[in-house]
Amino acid sequence: MQSRYFLLFLISTFSSAAPAPPLSEYATRTISTEGALFATSLLAGYSPSEAKSTESANINITLAPGQDSNSNGDPSLDFLQIPNPQPIRGTLGASDPGPHNSAYDQQNPDALARPSTDEGSVQQSKWPMGLSSNRMTEAGWAREQSVRVLPAAKEMAGVDMRLEPYAYRELHWHSANEWGIVLNGSVRISAIDAQGRTFIDDVSEGDLWYFPSGLPHSIQALENGSEFLLVFDDGNFSEDETFLITEWFSHTPREVLAKNFAVPMAAFDKIPKDQLYIFNGTPPVQSVSANNVTGPSGSIPAAETFSYHFSQQEPMEVPGGSVKIVDSGTFSASKNIAAALVTIKPGAMRELHWHPNSDEWNFFIAGRARITVFDAPNSARTFDYTAGDVGYILVDQGHYIENIGDEDVVLLEMLKAPQFEDVSLGQWMALTPPQVVQVR
């Protein structure tokens, strides 16, 4: 399986990256600013006849390595140790007395002091899950990213969800296809298909599932609880618009429910008035097979299973990191979502490339990275990412992913496609006749 991707996927070393020096080695600069303050006594506006008063201030700022006028090559800037980052890169920019949010500036140095190679207009390609409204219950929480907060992300959306030990995500189904990966802990997932065949499996950190739209399923955390990431193939998807069994019950006359299930109406006296969504549960039986309920149609055959133990797939080691790829070729149920789990070592980068068959939805699991997105004919914009951030790059847009920190970058690259495909700029040039690519 690995050889089919080898020429299409390269992570290379990038020797100029290095851990940030201690704060004592950072350059400092003092800038004097002059500003005029004036107003009428009635605050009615400025009149030339009014006397003016002036006020001067000294701004003590600290510059990061590579930010001064002697820098070149637009290196990545580390503002994490800078208490008051400034929009300065080389001879460009000026001091910012405020107001500003230094915490945002520290995390987004390439937005505050953008590289000189950035130009034009590129869509917003970053959304921190930390800015998503977190829907909380007594047994867990969920926060989402959709086109509502990241307008460019029309093809895919994501949900970060946490279940306490033995908590349930209640019986439900969606109008979009659901791809899930366990970030920590373990869960028991179950489903039935339209033929009445049943499915149940335990999946742990690094494992996947895929539930087609309309397929009813449930998720229960096991003894240590679990956090997992869900990706949907519709940018307009909202977790709040899920089809929930408790909501359906609450909006159906009890007489109809009694007829449907052939039980007395009293059986539905305790139907919740509101959806359960995420709720506390009890420990399941240890044996998955003993927990499975089957009917005349039996169980889902192994070749059509809705889970994939991605954690057991060996990564492909490449210069500067590793990669694991899963798509319909390895996980047959995942017919239109493909993924790469990418690890990039400090000082390395995911090479310049683009995806010809899909937009790319990214989720950063660990580390700090920057991506420059290139769009035709002459636009480029650089974004900075850390754990918990979502990235989104449109189909055919050129980009790279560079590790700018001192720990591994781990991220998911998601495509809305049956196969994971990319085109390497380096490979393309290497396989083109030399006289075509020769610099003249």
Side-chain angles (χ1 to χ4, degrees), residues 254-309:
R254 287 194 303 153
E255 179 184 2
V256 173
L257 291 172
K259 287 181 180 179
N260 185 79
F261 294 103
V263 297
M265 282 196 296
F268 302 98
D269 287 346
K270 295 183 179 180
I271 289 177
K273 294 182 179 180
D274 298 312
Q275 59 181 249
L276 292 178
Y277 187 62
I278 295 173
F279 61 98
N280 287 311
T282 56
V285 298
Q286 291 295 318
S287 171
V288 170
S289 59
N291 204 196
N292 192 19
V293 179
T294 59
S297 299
S299 300
I300 299 286
E304 301 174 33
T305 183
F306 295 119
S307 63
Y308 179 70
H309 291 263

Side-chain angles (χ1 to χ4, degrees), residues 387-411:
D389 287 347
V390 172
Y392 198 85
I393 302 165
L394 301 181
V395 63
D396 290 330
Q397 288 184 329
H399 57 285
Y400 63 86
I401 308 171
E402 179 188 1
N403 186 331
I404 58 172
D406 55 7
E407 63 174 310
D408 288 357
V409 166
V410 181
L411 76 147

Side-chain angles (χ1 to χ4, degrees), residues 171-184:
L171 293 162
H172 66 282
W173 71 96
H174 307 287
S175 59
N177 297 307
E178 173 185 309
W179 185 98
I181 183 170
V182 181
L183 299 176
N184 53 68

Side-chain angles (χ1 to χ4, degrees), residues 21 30 101 128 196 226 236 259 270 300 306 315 326 336 353 395 402:
T30 300
N101 188 322
S226 181
N236 286 292
K259 287 181 180 179
K270 295 183 179 180
I300 299 286
F306 295 119
V326 58
N336 71 330
H353 68 283
V395 63
E402 179 188 1

Side-chain angles (χ1 to χ4, degrees), residues 370-403:
R370 75 170 177 173
I371 297 175
T372 297
V373 179
F374 165 68
D375 197 14
N378 61 347
S379 294
R381 185 176 174 189
T382 304
F383 301 88
D384 301 285
Y385 301 88
T386 189
D389 287 347
V390 172
Y392 198 85
I393 302 165
L394 301 181
V395 63
D396 290 330
Q397 288 184 329
H399 57 285
Y400 63 86
I401 308 171
E402 179 188 1
N403 186 331

Side-chain angles (χ1 to χ4, degrees), residues 360-372:
E360 175 181 335
W361 189 95
N362 294 326
F363 185 77
F364 287 81
I365 299 172
R368 296 170 51 230
R370 75 170 177 173
I371 297 175
T372 297

